[in-house]
């Protein structure tokens, strides 16, 4: 595939994603934060369903050697980096998807968040240029390197080659675990008289939209009070 | 058109995205955003700094700026798709944070997201919709990290809400 065709495929995919996320008000921050804070799971369920479909699809193609899985070593930096990211996305009220989507809706706060994401990346590039950690992709070996706090590379393909068991089997097991979490959420929602869908959408959208013109606090604080009231004493 | 009148069920929306992501995985690779943002940072820095950017090893060794890096166009597509959705559903409007605390939170949050992506080599999209479905070891490390970070962020957010 030529670079132009790759870019065009990516643009078509991105456009569809932008449209669907804008119309569904899906928010990745809400998927995690609201499950922890408000005990509402509208976005969490969507994220789990997507992960189940992708796990089955990716591992099915990995089994026959098709697809282009990500190839790089992981290490302590993976955990620390996503810890910082998780903290940052809650403070900013948006993740990598919602910053672009909200920017497309005319949200100046989202554009500001994007600008500072770029600045954060540039600052990191300066620090990396002194300590060269974590290792650049070109110097990764795929094997554990404890001195560099790197654990190497492992995915469904390496599992298949080391055990002889098709990757799809591991994918099916992971899907079952994700489905178990999904069912537990449904059970909890049924037990706790779930927040009606339009109301949940409104709470999560306003909580996610830290930069809305109308203050988000009343809806969010109402949900917070409800979540706290449902906690065991 | 109903799509622009009603809010779409997020489960349906994400299920469609998941199927499309499988096609993307076959053609170029799974959905990711952080890599494209890094490349945009490099291209913007190159625009302002010119050849001086080559003196920063990160941009000459790890991430040489390249306008034909496909991941950039996912982000550009997302902003375009969202703009189309917002215009057709009459939801487009310029909005701005009003309080200083919001600006401060967004600024710190944006910086932490940028630093976190580069430190980990992945963003939240790659974590949940790339690495973990590929059963990459990094996916499990990244999920643990993002859950811990979100939990700490949630404590701060809650404190802020309670004033």
């Amino acid at each position: 595939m030529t670079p132009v065709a790759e870019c065009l495929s990516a643009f078509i995919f991105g456009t569809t994603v932008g449209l669907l996320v804008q119309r569904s008000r899906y928010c990745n921050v809400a998927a995690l934060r609201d499950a922890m804070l408000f005990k509402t799971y509208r976005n969490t369920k969507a994220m789990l369903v997507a992960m189940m479909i992708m796990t089955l699809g990716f591992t099915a193609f990995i089994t026959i050697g098709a697809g282009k899985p990500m190839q790089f070593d992981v290490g302590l930096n993976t955990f620390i980096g996503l810890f910082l990211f998780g903290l940052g996305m809650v403070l900013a009220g948006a993740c990598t998807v919602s910053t672009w989507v909200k920017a497309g809706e005319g949200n100046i706060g989202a554009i500001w968040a994007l600008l500072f994401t770029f600045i954060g990346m540039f600052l990191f590039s300066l620090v990396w240029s002194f300590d060269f950690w974590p290792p650049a992709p070109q110097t990764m070996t795929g094997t554990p390197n404890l001195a560099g706090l790197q654990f190497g590379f492992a995915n469904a393909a390496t599992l298949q080659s080391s055990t002889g068991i098709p990757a799809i089997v591991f994918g099916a097991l992971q899907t079952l675990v994700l489905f178990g979490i999904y069912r537990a959420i449904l059970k909890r929602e049924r037990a706790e008289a779930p927040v009606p869908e339009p109301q949940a959408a409104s709470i999560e959208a306003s909580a996610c939209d830290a930069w809305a013109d109308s203050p988000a606090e009343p809806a969010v604080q109402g949900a917070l009070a409800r979540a706290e009231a449902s906690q065991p004493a | 058109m109903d799509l622009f009148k009603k809010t779409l069920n997020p489960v349906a929306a994400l299920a469609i995205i998941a199927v499309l992501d499988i096609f993307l995985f076959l053609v170029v690779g799974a959905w990711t955003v952080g890599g494209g943002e890094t490349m945009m940072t490099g291209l913007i820095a190159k625009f302002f700094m010119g050849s001086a950017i080559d003196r920063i090893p990160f941009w000459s060794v790890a991430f040489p700026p390249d306008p034909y890096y496909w991941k950039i166009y996912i982000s550009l597509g997302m902003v375009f798709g969202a703009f189309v959705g917002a215009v057709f559903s009459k939801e487009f409007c310029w909005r701005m944070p009003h309080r200083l605390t919001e600006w401060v939170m967004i600024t710190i949050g944006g910086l932490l997201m940028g630093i976190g992506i580069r430190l980990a080599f992945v963003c939240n999209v790659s974590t949940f919709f790339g690495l973990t479905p590929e059963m990459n070891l990094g996916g499990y490390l990244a999920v643990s990290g993002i859950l811990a970070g979100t939990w700490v962020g949630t404590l701060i957010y809650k404190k802020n809400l309670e004033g």
Side-chain angles (χ1 to χ4, degrees), chain A residues 75-126:
Chain A
L76 199 59
N77 57 301
T78 317
F79 178 85
I80 301 170
L82 264 293
F83 176 85
L84 295 177
F85 185 93
L87 178 57
M89 75 175 186
V90 177
L91 297 184
C95 63
T96 47
V97 179
S98 35
T99 44
W100 288 103
V101 170
K102 286 172 193 294
E105 292 176 325
N107 197 313
I108 305 291
I111 296 167
W112 188 258
L114 267 176
L115 176 69
F116 276 86
T117 302
F118 291 161
I119 292 173
M121 286 177 168
F122 187 74
L123 291 177
F124 180 83
S125 77
L126 297 177

Side-chain angles (χ1 to χ4, degrees), chain B residues 101-160:
Chain B
T101 50
E102 286 175 280
W103 285 103
V104 173
M105 297 257 279
I106 297 166
T107 305
I108 296 170
L111 281 171
L112 287 175
M113 285 198 287
I115 293 167
I117 289 172
R118 279 320 340 136
L119 186 59
F121 284 106
V122 286
C123 61
N124 62 315
V125 172
S126 311
T127 296
F128 291 108
F129 304 138
L131 286 178
T132 309
E134 289 170 12
M135 303 193 71
N136 189 305
L137 171 65
Y140 308 117
L141 285 167
V143 167
S144 316
I146 201 168
L147 288 178
T150 305
W151 183 71
V152 174
T154 298
L155 295 179
I156 298 169
Y157 180 81
K158 192 177 168 188
K159 210 161 191 161
N160 192 40

Side-chain angles (χ1 to χ4, degrees), chain B residues 4-5 9 31 37 49-50 55 63 83 92 97 106 119 160:
Chain B
F4 299 111
K5 286 181 188 154
N9 183 330
W31 179 20
E37 288 183 345
M49 295 171 68
R55 293 207 298 269
F63 244 98
F83 175 73
F92 183 89
I106 297 166
L119 186 59
N160 192 40

Side-chain angles (χ1 to χ4, degrees), chain A residues 147-225:
Chain A
L149 303 173
Q150 297 295 293
F151 308 138
F153 173 75
N155 71 357
T158 61
L159 267 176
Q160 177 172 292
S161 61
S162 61
T163 62
I165 299 168
I168 183 73
V169 175
F170 297 107
L173 286 174
Q174 177 163 295
T175 305
L176 274 177
V177 172
L178 293 168
F179 183 68
I181 300 170
Y182 183 81
R183 273 199 63 180
I185 288 174
L186 291 183
K187 229 173 165 179
R188 190 181 178 136
E189 280 186 334
R190 274 197 292 269
E192 289 177 359
V195 180
E197 167 75 14
Q199 205 184 330
S202 149
I203 291 165
E204 295 192 356
S206 54
C208 217
D209 206 345
W211 326 295
D213 268 340
S214 55
E217 278 76 2
V220 173
Q221 283 177 338
L224 192 57

